[in-house]
Amino acid sequence: MDFSLNLGTLDEGKLRKIDENELYDVIVVGTGPAAVSAAIYAVRKGLTVGIIGLKIGGQVLDTNEIENIIGTPKTTGAKFAESLEKHMKEYEIAFKEGHLVKEIKEDGKDKVVITDDGKNYKTKTVIIATGAEWKNLNIPGEAEYTGKGVHYCSTCDGPFYKNLDVAVIGGGNSGVEAALDLAGIAKNITLIEYMPELKADKVLQDKLAERENVKIITNAATTEVTGTQFAENLKYLDRKTNEEHNLKIDGVFIEIGLAPKSGLVKDLVETNKIGEILINEYNMTNKKGIFAAGDVTEVKQKQIVVAVGEGAKAALGAFEYIIKEY
């Protein structure tokens, strides 16, 4: 199904259709905060810009309340996505919505971006801002209560659980760091790890051991989230005794890591062992003219405000590259 915008009938501001016959200065792949930031910063530098992706907002659309964007005390994922789109409409950006990029090829100094409908778009530079997705447990109740007691980011949503009881799933660095974040906010934290021992770095485990309001349960398989309007119970199985337990909770943080959406370029640019794209101080990859920004990269902090800044950096890097190379 083609979800492309009909720019002739919708109020799209200055947005225009992307054109196969044009050589763009920049094509941004993705439609999340990093991507929109990159597109706006690039066009403000006088570059011709195209942006391709499914829907403006990206992963933000799966977020309910947001309170950590500086200058915006409180908003929702949907409203923030609307503001991103409204801002983008202020500029003459070529937008292809409802489609994914399937391949990027090098054509001499230029690049060719190929979409899932077989269209080819030529550009001097590409900015990959496809984001990442939280790894799921895929247990009953997880999807049902996402945003209603089930969360994937302690930094984003932890403040909502002040003086309440929460569980953290995951004993790696992500899980232990989340438990440490929450220890100063929540009343009690129960950390549940599938393996017999925590996998986090020793320095993190030592810090966690100092927290009196953190209980650690290892060798446990989380099996289900239950509740009414919001999550209220977490079920887990003791893998040693095969006994099932029910834990009363106000919230659950599933912290088993992020999976970067880098499959598109895994054979084109250099990535680390978990698939994050490696970038330099200008946000350029090991391939000249290919940049990356946001959660798909090796940048440690996966936050909206960080992604916006990284998108701007990538656009400025692309501008400097074009000035020097073209």
Side-chain angles (χ1 to χ4, degrees):
M1 184 178 295
D2 188 348
F3 294 99
S4 298
L5 289 172
N6 182 347
L7 299 183
T9 59
L10 297 179
D11 178 18
E12 296 306 327
K14 295 181 180 180
L15 293 182
R16 56 192 178 89
K17 290 183 179 180
I18 199 164
D19 188 349
E20 278 191 285
N21 298 313
E22 184 172 348
L23 171 62
Y24 291 92
D25 290 320
V26 179
I27 286 183
V28 182
V29 182
T31 46
V36 174
S37 174
I40 290 173
Y41 261 75
V43 77
R44 284 177 60 85
K45 295 296 287 185
L47 303 179
T48 55
V49 180
I51 182 170
I52 302 171
L54 289 178
K55 189 171 179 62
I56 294 296
Q59 189 180 335
V60 163
L61 292 167
D62 298 326
T63 305
N64 286 339
E65 296 184 6
I66 302 173
E67 296 183 349
N68 58 353
I69 299 175
I70 307 306
T72 304
K74 188 172 184 178
T75 187
T76 65
K79 287 181 179 179
F80 183 64
E82 287 177 9
S83 68
L84 291 176
E85 186 168 357
K86 181 179 180 181
H87 196 172
M88 202 170 74
K89 288 178 181 179
E90 296 292 319
Y91 301 95
E92 292 185 358
I93 296 171
F95 184 26
K96 187 180 180 76
E97 184 182 32
H99 290 277
L100 293 172
V101 173
K102 288 298 183 182
E103 188 177 3
I104 297 171
K105 292 183 177 180
E106 295 181 279
D107 182 13
K109 191 183 295 186
D110 299 327
K111 313 292 182 287
V112 178
V113 176
I114 304 169
T115 52
D116 54 10
D117 57 353
K119 303 292 186 180
N120 292 358
Y121 303 98
K122 201 166 185 179
T123 181
K124 297 175 184 177
T125 64
V126 176
I127 297 176
I128 307 298
T130 44
E133 55 191 353
W134 300 106
K135 293 180 181 178
N136 298 319
L137 290 173
N138 295 315
I139 58 173
E142 178 181 3
E144 179 183 355
Y145 291 105
T146 294
K148 300 177 181 179
V150 173
H151 306 276
Y152 298 87
C153 177
S154 63
T155 305
C156 309
D157 301 318
F160 298 122
Y161 291 89
K162 186 174 179 62
N163 296 325
L164 297 177
D165 296 329
V166 300
V168 174
I169 313 302
N173 284 351
S174 295
V176 172
E177 287 175 355
L180 288 168
D181 286 342
L182 292 164
I185 300 170
K187 180 180 179 182
N188 295 297
I189 300 98
T190 303
L191 177 68
I192 299 176
E193 163 57 29
Y194 182 83
M195 299 302 290
E197 297 179 351
L198 298 183
K199 304 184 296 292
D201 295 340
K202 185 178 184 301
V203 63
L204 292 175
Q205 293 190 45
D206 290 344
K207 288 182 179 180
L208 192 66
E210 297 172 0
R211 298 289 187 167
E212 295 182 357
N213 62 337
V214 178
K215 178 182 178 181
I216 300 172
I217 300 174
T218 57
N219 215 14
T222 307
T223 57
E224 187 178 6
V225 179
T226 64
T228 50
Q229 186 177 357
F230 295 93
E232 298 172 354
N233 302 281
L234 184 69
K235 294 182 179 180
Y236 66 92
L237 185 71
D238 186 315
R239 298 177 61 228
K240 187 174 182 179
T241 65
N242 212 35
E243 182 181 357
E244 188 174 67
H245 298 269
N246 185 71
L247 180 67
K248 295 287 291 183
I249 46 88
D250 296 299
V252 181
F253 289 83
I254 299 173
E255 299 279 357
I256 54 177
L258 277 166
K261 296 180 181 178
S262 60
L264 168 67
V265 292
K266 64 182 177 66
D267 297 321
L268 182 62
V269 303
E270 188 177 357
T271 61
N272 62 19
K273 62 182 181 180
I274 62 173
E276 295 172 329
I277 298 174
L278 303 183
I279 54 175
N280 64 14
E281 65 269 30
Y282 301 101
N283 283 66
M284 189 158 71
T285 69
N286 64 311
K287 290 286 185 180
K288 292 181 67 175
I290 299 181
F291 297 77
D295 289 0
V296 74
T297 73
E298 61 181 320
V299 172
K300 180 174 174 55
Q301 303 298 338
K302 313 299 186 183
Q303 299 290 307
I304 293 172
V305 68
V306 174
V308 169
E310 288 295 304
K313 281 175 55 187
L316 296 175
F319 174 76
E320 291 185 21
Y321 170 82
I322 290 170
I323 294 296
K324 293 175 182 177
E325 297 292 329
Y326 285 85

